[in-house]
Amino acid sequence: MSKIIIPKNYTPHLNLIETEVAIKMIKDTFERRLAEQLRLTRVSAPLFLLKNTGLNDNLNGIEKPVSFTSFELNNDNEIEIIHSLAKWKRDALHRYHFEQHTGLYTDMNAIRKDEELDNIHSMYVDQWDWEMVISKEDRHMDYLKGVINKIYNALLDVEFLMIRHYPQLGASILPEEIFFITSQELEYLFPTLTAKEREKEIVREKKAVCILQIGDVLKSGKKHDGRAPDYDDWSLNADILVYNTQLDDALEISSMGIRVDDKTLKEQLDKANANERLSLPYHQNIINHILPLSIGGGIGQSRLCMFFLRKAHIGEVQASLWDEDTMHLCEENNIHLL
């Protein structure tokens, strides 16, 4: 059965051709502004990686990547379609010899076959993955917030551009400044709600919210959300959420953070009962200080387009696969899947 939500009397603001033109405008503009704000250089990225390198993103640790072998390679070397490039990027910073406070971004296309499909989730994932070299002195909350504000400025620029080109989209949603709150402060604020309900309430009020420090256990004994233990420092990471007017809900558009150093890597792997990863090449390169200290994240391309074009379903801004119930329901309710 389809899990999608149908907004009452939904009518898209743009037709299919206008939508495709607008998607290109959003992607070109945001990509350029992100690179300018953070001094990033575009690089090429892989679609698949060898499993035994430890470079693929484990997400929450339970999702299984699509994998295959090649007769041209040793069959013991299983190849995985990427989930994201969270670890690969940091390794690339080292290989490309990026200088401090410069970095890279790339178009990341992934398959997440275990994703539950709904209005904002698809098996096909497209995002900008970015990573920047930082110093030991940069590993603190004020530096993280400063980078988030630069990304938010790029979002403000794109929203202004889209409303100017397509006034039928209506008034702006984003406030002048993003609201910062830690996951623990959010739990104190709404102690009886679930994590997703808390996100919805705070984003309804503030319209653009950055939730800080995600991954560790809160005072309630629960986590706000799952995070892999071997890339973000759970005390120095964040999610950026905006208000989706069509769904009356929070829309996460970015997950990012200052990356683990050798100390936090060991601490978080121990908490996650994943110490076996310490022997993998990527993890050894962090422990032996071969990889640079860094900050990075992913920014959802289709989710940004959903938000800026006021769409109700991610399938309106990307070409993916959907079950028959979803396709029929969308067709009956003015939701035009690409």
Side-chain angles (χ1 to χ4, degrees), residues 57-73:
D57 184 351
N58 297 95
L59 300 178
N60 291 314
I62 57 173
E63 298 89 348
K64 185 174 176 55
V66 177
S67 63
F68 61 98
T69 57
S70 167
F71 72 90
E72 290 284 359
L73 300 176

Side-chain angles (χ1 to χ4, degrees), residues 146-300:
V147 172
I148 290 165
N149 281 326
K150 289 179 180 180
I151 295 171
Y152 190 67
N153 286 338
L155 294 174
L156 289 173
D157 289 347
V158 176
E159 186 181 52
F160 176 80
L161 174 69
M162 298 313 297
I163 291 173
R164 187 178 66 184
H165 273 79
Y166 303 102
Q168 64 267 41
L169 295 173
S172 62
I173 295 171
L174 298 177
E176 290 186 10
E177 295 183 355
I178 193 168
F179 178 76
F180 291 97
I181 189 168
T182 68
S183 58
Q184 185 58 68
E185 288 169 340
L186 190 57
E187 184 180 68
Y188 286 145
L189 199 59
F190 303 107
T192 63
L193 302 183
T194 67
K196 290 304 175 187
E197 289 169 345
R198 293 195 288 270
E199 289 181 354
K200 183 174 182 176
E201 288 302 314
I202 196 68
V203 173
R204 266 179 171 170
E205 179 185 348
K206 302 295 184 180
K207 305 304 186 247
V209 176
C210 179
I211 302 176
L212 303 160
Q213 299 180 334
I214 298 170
D216 218 337
V217 176
L218 301 174
K219 298 294 185 184
S220 64
K222 299 178 181 178
K223 295 182 178 183
H224 179 81
D225 200 0
R227 284 294 183 276
D230 45 7
Y231 55 95
D232 282 354
D233 183 327
W234 292 342
S235 67
L236 292 169
N237 65 359
D239 281 354
I240 298 175
L241 300 96
V242 294
Y243 181 57
N244 185 319
T245 54
Q246 298 294 347
L247 302 178
D248 183 30
D249 204 353
L251 179 67
E252 179 192 322
I253 57 172
S254 179
S255 179
M256 59 172 290
I258 291 174
R259 305 311 195 188
V260 291
D261 58 11
D262 57 332
K263 181 172 180 265
T264 51
L265 174 64
K266 292 175 182 176
E267 289 174 350
Q268 292 180 183
L269 284 176
D270 191 54
K271 287 180 179 179
N273 296 313
N275 286 318
E276 71 281 357
R277 297 186 199 173
L278 284 171
S279 61
L280 293 171
Y282 169 81
H283 302 72
Q284 282 295 306
N285 286 341
I286 294 176
I287 291 168
N288 294 318
H289 304 153
I290 293 171
L291 298 184
L293 297 173
S294 68
I295 183 173
I299 302 168

Side-chain angles (χ1 to χ4, degrees), residues 72-83:
E72 290 284 359
L73 300 176
N74 186 327
N75 281 339
D76 290 335
N77 290 333
E78 191 173 355
I79 301 165
E80 295 181 342
I81 303 292
I82 59 170
H83 276 151

Side-chain angles (χ1 to χ4, degrees), residues 72-167:
E72 290 284 359
L73 300 176
N74 186 327
N75 281 339
D76 290 335
N77 290 333
E78 191 173 355
I79 301 165
E80 295 181 342
I81 303 292
I82 59 170
H83 276 151
S84 88
L85 296 170
K87 300 171 188 172
W88 176 89
K89 295 175 297 179
R90 189 170 178 182
D91 185 70
L93 288 180
H94 167 66
R95 292 186 291 107
Y96 280 74
H97 303 292
F98 276 96
E99 297 179 358
Q100 197 171 109
H101 299 135
T102 67
L104 60 86
Y105 77 93
T106 189
D107 284 294
M108 190 283 295
N109 297 292
I111 298 172
R112 297 182 183 174
K113 70 178 185 63
D114 296 324
E115 197 75 78
E116 290 192 18
L117 308 184
D118 56 27
N119 293 68
I120 64 172
H121 292 96
S122 166
M123 290 185 292
Y124 169 63
V125 181
D126 56 341
Q127 66 183 36
W128 291 282
D129 258 325
W130 64 273
E131 198 83 8
M132 181 171 62
V133 180
I134 62 173
S135 70
K136 183 178 180 179
E137 290 71 32
D138 294 326
R139 298 191 79 258
H140 57 82
M141 185 60 73
D142 286 343
Y143 185 83
L144 174 63
K145 288 182 177 180
V147 172
I148 290 165
N149 281 326
K150 289 179 180 180
I151 295 171
Y152 190 67
N153 286 338
L155 294 174
L156 289 173
D157 289 347
V158 176
E159 186 181 52
F160 176 80
L161 174 69
M162 298 313 297
I163 291 173
R164 187 178 66 184
H165 273 79
Y166 303 102

